[in-house]
Amino acid sequence: QVQLQESGPGLVKPSQTLSLTCTVSGASITTSYYAWSWMRQPPGKGLEWMGAIAYSGSTYYSPSLKSRTSISWDTSKNQFTLQLSSVTPEDTAVYYCARGPRPHSDYDYWGQGIQVTVSS
């Protein structure tokens, strides 16, 4: 019943901020006890967890991306967002949003993913 859908620009220029939105239906993002995560998969590489926002509003970030990553939400729209600043071509990846009972594991629902390319 839970559906997640990523949206945002598919092309971002280097040094700019990547902004993506995950729209959730079938469940409230403020309802106990779930976390809502962002992750990505660069071409030919494994899945990388980026961060999450829990139902309480608490945020969690991967140490490697913490300085550039901001996750927030708009509860009135049942959406949560990802902002990744100062992007480079190495940030090119398929980006996913997902739900799980913990901030960075055991995902039970995923969005379909969105391709984001960083290029000038």
Side-chain angles (χ1 to χ4, degrees), residues 81-109:
T81 62
L82 169 72
Q83 292 187 300
L84 182 67
S85 65
S86 303
V87 298
T88 72
E90 286 67 45
D91 293 312
T92 294
V94 177
Y95 285 74
Y96 298 91
C97 56
R99 187 186 81 165
R102 295 191 295 272
H104 60 279
S105 64
D106 298 332
Y107 317 110
D108 55 358
Y109 291 96

Side-chain angles (χ1 to χ4, degrees), residues 18-21 38 50 69-71 80-84 95:
L18 183 161
S19 297
L20 298 175
T21 297
W38 284 102
M50 303 180 69
T69 305
S70 179
I71 296 173
F80 63 104
T81 62
L82 169 72
Q83 292 187 300
L84 182 67
Y95 285 74

